Amino acid sequence: MVMPRTQTLVQLSAELVALLDQRAVHERRSRSDLIREAIEQYMDTDRQTQISRQIVAGYGRVPQCDDGLERWARRAASDLLAQESW
């Protein structure tokens, strides 16, 4: 599915344009394509960071509950140690 696009004006330094053009030639892509991909990656990284923060905050509010396994393991270890004849 082709999404409609809106043209926008972005001011870049001459150095950044030169680097962008070098990469566009090297990758045989347009400057617009490279800029579009860079923005998409930036936005995706930002979205992933926000999701990670929300997950961490959720575990802060509602810690992962003990499923009883740790308690069972401590009890089993304690029972085994008590049976030792030291």
Side-chain angles (χ1 to χ4, degrees), residues 22-40:
Q22 287 173 4
R23 185 150 184 181
V25 167
H26 178 73
E27 295 186 15
R28 296 181 179 164
R29 297 169 63 187
S30 70
R31 189 190 286 171
S32 293
D33 190 39
L34 290 173
I35 292 170
R36 192 171 25 259
E37 181 181 311
I39 292 170
E40 287 171 353

Side-chain angles (χ1 to χ4, degrees), residues 8-86:
T8 186
L9 177 68
V10 178
Q11 296 182 0
L12 304 172
S13 69
E15 180 183 0
L16 190 54
V17 170
L19 290 170
L20 189 58
D21 286 343
Q22 287 173 4
R23 185 150 184 181
V25 167
H26 178 73
E27 295 186 15
R28 296 181 179 164
R29 297 169 63 187
S30 70
R31 189 190 286 171
S32 293
D33 190 39
L34 290 173
I35 292 170
R36 192 171 25 259
E37 181 181 311
I39 292 170
E40 287 171 353
Q41 287 177 0
Y42 175 82
M43 299 302 283
D44 187 56
T45 299
D46 185 56
R47 186 178 64 84
Q48 293 296 332
T49 300
Q50 289 178 12
I51 290 170
S52 294
R53 286 184 183 145
Q54 290 173 349
I55 290 170
V56 169
Y59 277 112
R61 287 189 307 275
V62 182
Q64 191 171 8
C65 62
D66 179 12
D67 60 3
L69 186 59
E70 184 176 338
R71 202 170 332 146
W72 174 87
R74 288 182 192 272
R75 174 92 188 256
S78 177
D79 289 348
L80 284 172
L81 289 173
Q83 293 174 14
E84 281 296 320
S85 60
W86 313 72

